[in-house]
Every structure is written in structure tokens, then in C-alpha cells.
Amino acid sequence: MTIKLGLIGGGVMGEAILSRLLARKIYQVSEVIVSEPQEARRSFLHQRYGVSVTNDNGQMWSQVRETVILAVKPQILSAVVEEVVDKLPMEPSPLMISILAGVSLKQLENSFPGVSIVRAMPNTPATVGAGMTAICCGDHLQPIHHHIATTIFQAVGEVVEVCESLMDAVTGLSGSGPAYVALMIEALADGGVASGLPRAVAKQLALHTVLGTAKLIAETNIHPAELKDQVTSPGGTTIAGVRELERAGFRSALMEAVKAAAERSREMGVY
Ligand SMILES: NC(=O)C1=CN([C@@H]2O[C@H](COP(=O)(O)OP(=O)(O)OC[C@H]3O[C@@H](n4cnc5c(N)ncnc54)[C@H](O)[C@@H]3O)[C@@H](O)[C@H]2O)C=CC1
Ligand SMILES: O=C(O)[C@@H]1CCC=N1
């Protein structure tokens, strides 16, 4: 069968996207090949998902007929380019989707001359189909390429299209955001334990408070400030907690975290 999808880098994000694309039957197992240098990862991905695997990016590139997803660390980009450069351009060239933080469309287009490119920033909730992905499109993209990229990321969650100048901010917010939320869940659970709750109960309460609040805001479209007002009774418990968060600079810390991550994304593009 024709190989339609090639994945360069079968790590955390590569596997997250791969698993959902197969589960949603966007691609058949026999249509996918993963290129990954770690033997242990190759055999894991082959056994778990049944996909073909290789450690040769050049060989993979020459087999793929539709889409290549680039999911290596940004620092590995130049090594990958060296491995595939003499296979470029293939006619018709497969679409390349890069999920590399910080690496611009211009850098990618210079690295892969003649290849149609989409730059995307997904996040780890993609693993469970609850991802948030922003995409931006390179020059010379055809409608079919746009359709392919949208279909791929809709299979792992929601998709928004932005202009490229916003991709670093996207990376700082939704790309890196799962880590901030995970820290918050952990800290809430710790607070529960400090207040006397058993660890397992504290974790369950923390997790479902975050999950439920996000669901409530998403489904009712209520402004977060209005929800906060609904929870805070005059002279009650919640305003005592909110006051402490404000004293510790909670909201400012989150804003600065997003800005610092966005700035780091910007830096990573310059090398
Ligand atoms: N982890 C996250 O939350 C997110 C990561 N990203 C981006 O996704 C990319 C991958 O990140 P992760 O999956 O977290 O990293 P990872 O380290 O889990 O996966 C990268 C994989 O690439 C493989 N690899 C190394 N050299 C290679 C080569 N020459 N050819 C093919 N594969 C090679 C590694 O063995 C590894 O399995 C990064 O560029 C990152 O910026 C984007 C959004 C979210
Ligand atoms: O930390 C990183 O560089 C990657 C990009 C977005 C999430 N993780």
C-alpha cells in the first residue's frame, strides 16, 4: 500500500499525534512510517501501533506520498536536513508539517527548498484528543495542503489558524501551558494535603476542580471573572483564598510565565 504519512521523530508529541491519527482512522497503519533513531522507541512504536519504522530519514522521505510530520527537537533540525537534502524536491513533494518550537517558516523553507510547509504548535493533551493546535501556512500552499493539516490536527483536538508572527505567543501559552496547569494541579493537591486531606483524595479534588471549571467556562462561555465572582461569597472562604493568591502574585506569575516561554521560543528560532 502507498505510504501516505511519514513521522520524523517518534517521541512524546510524535506518538501523541500518531496514536490519534490511527485511532480516528485518518491514516491506516499500513500507510504510515516512523523514522526514529532510538531502537527501543522504534520497536515500541512498531509493536504498539503496527506502523513501519526506520532509522533512515532519507529512505523514509523517498517513500512518503502525502505528508511528513517533523517532530524532532529544534536543535536536531540541521541533522535531519542533511539526511534528506539530496532527496529534495520530490515531485510532487509531500506536504511538510513542522511542530518545532521557534523554528520559522522561512527557516524551514530555506532548509527544504521547494517543499510546501505548514508550521504548527500542538500541545500534549493531543494524546487524549483534547489538544489545542495553532497552524500557519507557508507560501505556495495549495488548498489540499491546508485541508490535510487541518484534518490532522482536528483529529487530536481543536485547531486555530494564526499569522506566523503570533506563533511564539501561541507556544508560550497553549504549547507550554499544560506544564503550568499540571503545576497548578499538583500545588492544589499539596494544599489539600497540607489542610489534612489524604493524598489520593486531594489529587482527585484538585484534578476535577480544574477539569470541571474549564468545562464550565467552555460550555457556558462565561467570563472567568464572572465565574470567580459567583464562587466568592462576601466575607467567605473563597475571597480569603483569592486574596492570598493576589498577595503572592499568582496572576502576574502566570502572565510572566507565558511571556518568558514566548520569548524563549523567539530565541530558539535564531541559530
Ligand atoms: N512536548 C511538548 O509538549 C511539545 C513539543 N513540541 C515540539 O515537538 C518537537 C518534539 O518534542 P517532543 O516530542 O517533546 O520531543 P521528544 O524528545 O520526546 O521526541 C523527539 C524524538 O526525535 C527523535 N530523534 C532525534 N534525532 C532524530 C533524527 N535525526 N531523526 C528522527 N528522529 C530523531 C528522538 O529520538 C525522539 O524520540 C519539538 O520540536 C518541540 O518543540 C511542540 C508542542 C508541544
Ligand atoms: O518546551 C518546549 O520547548 C516544547 C515546546 C512547547 C512545549 N514544549
Side-chain angles (χ1 to χ4, degrees):
M1 192 182 265
T2 310
I3 301 287
K4 289 189 177 170
L5 178 71
L7 175 63
I8 303 184
V12 172
M13 283 311 296
E15 184 186 355
I17 295 168
L18 172 72
S19 64
R20 298 300 297 184
L21 290 177
L22 295 175
R24 296 283 305 274
K25 302 202 183 327
I26 306 295
Y27 293 99
Q28 305 299 317
V29 165
S30 57
E31 295 174 329
V32 179
I33 185 165
V34 180
S35 180
E36 165 60 54
Q38 291 185 57
E39 211 280 323
R41 281 300 288 171
R42 280 200 306 278
S43 52
F44 167 78
L45 293 169
H46 176 63
Q47 277 166 21
R48 178 91 185 249
Y49 301 103
V51 293
S52 302
V53 288
T54 176
N55 61 357
D56 183 338
N57 285 325
Q59 186 210 14
M60 187 228 62
W61 184 276
S62 55
Q63 286 183 51
V64 175
R65 291 291 166 267
E66 188 183 281
T67 308
V68 172
I69 299 178
L70 184 59
V72 296
K73 294 289 188 198
Q75 295 79 358
I76 304 292
L77 174 62
S78 51
V80 172
V81 173
E82 271 181 31
E83 288 166 47
V84 301
V85 79
D86 57 354
K87 307 281 188 301
L88 302 173
M90 240 185 64
E91 286 301 332
S93 158
L95 168 67
M96 169 167 282
I97 299 176
S98 164
I99 65 164
L100 275 55
V103 179
S104 69
L105 283 168
K106 193 168 178 173
Q107 286 171 281
L108 293 162
E109 282 166 355
N110 288 340
S111 300
F112 302 98
V115 176
S116 302
I117 298 181
V118 169
R119 179 178 170 191
M121 179 46 57
N123 63 10
T124 45
T127 313
V128 292
M132 182 69 240
T133 305
I135 61 170
C136 60
C137 299
D139 291 339
H140 319 304
L141 217 68
Q142 290 157 22
I144 182 67
H145 294 143
H146 188 271
H147 174 74
I148 291 170
T150 307
T151 303
I152 285 176
F153 290 110
Q154 277 175 347
V156 301
E158 291 196 29
V159 183
V160 64
E161 190 165 350
V162 299
C163 60
E164 193 182 17
S165 59
L166 298 179
M167 283 302 268
D168 295 312
V170 165
T171 305
L173 176 48
S174 55
S176 299
Y180 317 150
V181 176
L183 282 181
M184 193 172 89
I185 292 171
E186 186 190 22
L188 286 171
D190 283 347
V193 171
S195 305
L197 293 172
R199 171 62 64 184
V201 175
K203 187 181 165 206
Q204 187 180 6
L205 297 184
L207 176 63
H208 283 274
T209 301
V210 172
L211 206 56
T213 306
K215 195 165 193 274
L216 177 60
I217 292 173
E219 288 185 9
T220 60
N221 209 19
I222 190 174
H223 191 290
E226 197 182 335
L227 175 57
K228 182 262 294 171
D229 285 357
Q230 286 176 5
V231 188
T232 44
S233 310
T237 62
T238 312
I239 196 66
V242 168
R243 188 167 168 239
E244 196 55 35
L245 287 175
E246 293 292 0
R247 198 189 59 77
F250 177 69
R251 291 195 301 163
S252 169
L254 285 174
M255 285 188 255
E256 293 304 321
V258 173
K259 285 193 69 181
E263 182 51 34
R264 180 68 192 124
S265 172
R266 244 169 249 122
E267 286 169 9
M268 283 165 65
V270 186
Y271 60 86

